[in-house]
Amino acid sequence: MTTRFEIARLGAHGDGVVDANGGHIFIPFTLPGETVTASRDKDRAQLLAVLEASPERIEPACRHFTECGGCAIQHLEDGAYREWKRGLVAHALKARGIETPVGDLVACPPRSRRRAAFTARNTETGMHLGYNKAFSHTLVDIEECPVLLPGIVEAAGTLRHLAGIIANTSKPFRFLVTSTESGFDVAASDCGKPTEAIRRAATDFVIKSKIARLSIDGEIIVEPVKPVLTFGTAVVTPPTGGFVQAVADAEQTMASLVTGHLRKAKKVADLYSGSGTFSLRLAANSEVHAVEGDAASLAALDRGFRFAGGLKRVTVERRDLDRRPMTFKELNAFDGIAFDPPRAGAEDQCKQIARSDVPYVAAVSCNPATLARDLSILIDGGYTLKSVTPIDQFLWSHHVEAVALLEKLKRRR
């Protein structure tokens, strides 16, 4: 049934929100102030036509917008887009009773994302590589992408061909591509067990195409050259499929905020350290103890440190911080703490940090809601929130990073 709607505001996921009968209806690809017609299904509706457009509506940057599920909000003017994204952080903090200024959004330029999580599928019509359509399992082949580094888009044919070589299933599978300083690092999963023939063909193709590494379900099939990333002065080979910040410039911005805040700390604990994004930069000025649950990431960090010159001592500890957080007594051996947890945040770890007398804390998060929860714990424990900086590295999506800097200058000892 077609219905006329007035859009009240943007929701947290970029959908237009309609207030109706005490509830909400979410309509993708609409903007506040617009009058639209849409087909409603419970609390969601499919846009049919924009009758009265917002003055902030612009032409999308990509032909696949509204079909590809990768971007939610290419149709919003840049200034309004930045303010909306900054507001995601500000509103999450306010909901937790944290009244603090939130800095301007650090923008993410188009064509800057170095990592793409594609879906691949071998069908009767050929090999498809792209993103799932919004709210659907339909695969949209990517012919352009103004979010990704141009090199990834230009290599789409090569990557699609490689996906076809390794596909040993008719089901969709994950095809993760990271552009490193030495070539593409490709990590496929759920594509079926590779036969010897597949291994030989994939190896020949990877070498011929100058791809740095191919792995399937965590197993390295071929690695003509080690894929490398530089963290400060250290060169690191991340583990297959391991966590990497999506945009290099955004990573550098976050690292500059963290290292600047912890510059007075002689000893720093880097919690959820990954492969050393912050640890190896912090080590230029401080001794660092890196704590991470993933053994392969820690090994990559340790190798990067050992082959780098001019860094202070870096020690590593494998530890599941969600199950066994560092205690406040352990943390009191440090002058500074950095932590960058998964989207679920670091609630139990923050309870221990709050009890500590560590003077400087830098919190990095990709989830405003869990960041706000964790910051409220630290504030209740005596920390003062000095600044919050939102950082965009997932352009035209609802995802936003943030770096929060805290101090507790009066020690309890």
Side-chain angles (χ1 to χ4, degrees):
M1 177 178 171
T2 301
T3 308
R4 184 184 177 111
F5 295 102
E6 306 288 335
I7 308 301
R9 61 190 178 280
L10 279 179
H13 285 74
D15 298 333
V17 180
V18 176
D19 297 323
N21 300 324
H24 306 299
I25 303 168
F26 300 92
I27 309 179
F29 316 124
T30 61
L31 297 175
E34 293 189 329
T35 302
V36 305
T37 56
S39 176
R40 180 179 177 180
D41 181 13
K42 298 180 181 178
D43 64 345
R44 299 199 64 83
Q46 182 178 356
L47 177 66
L48 299 175
V50 178
L51 304 180
E52 297 179 20
S54 164
E56 294 175 339
R57 177 176 284 273
I58 61 172
E59 284 296 314
C62 178
R63 76 180 79 170
H64 300 299
F65 183 63
T66 74
E67 293 185 26
C68 161
C71 293
I73 196 159
Q74 284 189 11
H75 55 301
L76 178 61
E77 180 272 330
D78 185 61
Y81 164 81
R82 294 189 190 196
E83 187 54 33
W84 168 73
K85 210 154 207 187
R86 174 190 167 278
L88 295 177
V89 178
H91 295 154
L93 296 177
K94 188 174 182 180
R96 286 281 177 173
I98 302 173
E99 299 286 349
T100 187
V102 174
D104 291 338
L105 180 76
V106 177
C108 177
R111 298 174 178 83
S112 61
R113 193 187 299 181
R114 62 185 174 188
R115 167 166 276 203
F118 293 120
T119 297
R121 187 172 190 179
N122 205 6
T123 70
E124 293 179 355
T125 60
M127 192 69 213
H128 298 275
L129 182 73
Y131 299 112
N132 284 332
K133 187 174 181 179
F135 311 109
S136 166
H137 295 296
T138 301
L139 187 58
V140 178
D141 269 306
I142 296 301
E143 297 179 33
E144 67 176 355
C145 182
V147 171
L148 295 177
L149 286 171
I152 298 178
V153 179
E154 291 163 5
T158 298
L159 297 169
R160 187 177 290 110
H161 190 84
L162 176 58
I165 292 173
I166 65 173
N168 199 16
T169 178
S170 61
K171 296 179 180 179
F173 60 93
R174 180 177 169 85
F175 196 81
L176 180 66
V177 180
T178 304
S179 180
T180 77
E181 294 159 30
S182 54
F184 291 136
D185 184 14
V186 179
S189 55
D190 301 319
C191 60
K193 186 176 181 179
T195 63
E196 285 303 314
I198 287 174
R199 289 172 183 271
R200 288 194 298 271
T203 296
D204 291 344
F205 186 78
V206 165
I207 294 171
K208 177 183 175 182
S209 303
K210 295 182 169 49
I211 292 170
R213 180 171 67 185
L214 168 67
S215 63
I216 297 177
D217 292 324
E219 178 194 355
I220 297 176
I221 303 300
V222 58
E223 188 182 68
V225 296
K226 289 192 177 298
V228 296
L229 299 171
T230 301
F231 301 148
T233 61
V235 177
V236 173
T237 297
T240 60
F243 176 77
V244 172
Q245 296 289 354
V247 175
D249 285 349
E251 175 185 280
Q252 184 56 54
T253 297
M254 289 186 279
S256 295
L257 288 166
V258 170
T259 56
H261 185 60
L262 302 181
R263 66 189 181 280
K264 296 180 182 179
K266 294 182 179 180
K267 295 182 66 177
V268 174
D270 183 16
L271 311 180
Y272 306 93
S273 66
S275 297
T277 304
F278 300 115
S279 293
L280 294 169
R281 289 176 166 101
L282 287 163
N285 183 66
S286 310
E287 290 188 11
V288 178
H289 183 58
V291 186
E292 165 63 44
D294 182 65
S297 295
L298 270 187
L301 188 162
D302 189 54
R303 285 193 301 271
F305 163 66
R306 294 182 186 282
F307 283 96
L311 298 182
K312 305 233 174 170
R313 186 166 70 112
V314 175
T315 55
V316 298
E317 178 185 355
R318 186 182 181 190
R319 183 166 177 167
D320 185 340
L321 291 168
D322 294 329
R323 292 178 179 271
R324 191 166 65 93
M326 289 191 74
T327 68
F328 71 95
K329 292 182 179 179
E330 292 174 291
L331 292 170
N332 280 339
F334 301 93
D335 310 300
I337 298 170
F339 68 94
D340 182 11
R343 289 188 59 79
E347 183 174 10
D348 290 339
Q349 183 60 77
C350 283
K351 290 176 181 177
Q352 294 298 320
I353 297 173
R355 295 180 66 188
S356 79
D357 56 18
V358 180
Y360 301 104
V361 172
V364 182
S365 174
C366 61
N367 185 339
T370 56
L371 173 66
R373 178 202 64 204
D374 293 348
L375 291 179
S376 68
I377 294 170
L378 297 177
I379 291 168
D380 288 346
Y383 279 93
T384 300
L385 184 57
K386 306 300 288 188
S387 69
V388 179
T389 305
I391 299 165
D392 195 5
Q393 67 168 335
F394 297 97
L395 186 62
W396 298 318
S397 79
H398 68 278
H399 298 292
V400 59
E401 301 275 341
V403 177
L405 307 177
L406 305 100
E407 293 183 7
K408 183 190 282 186
L409 296 181
K410 184 177 180 180
R411 295 191 175 230
R412 296 180 182 176
R413 291 177 185 172

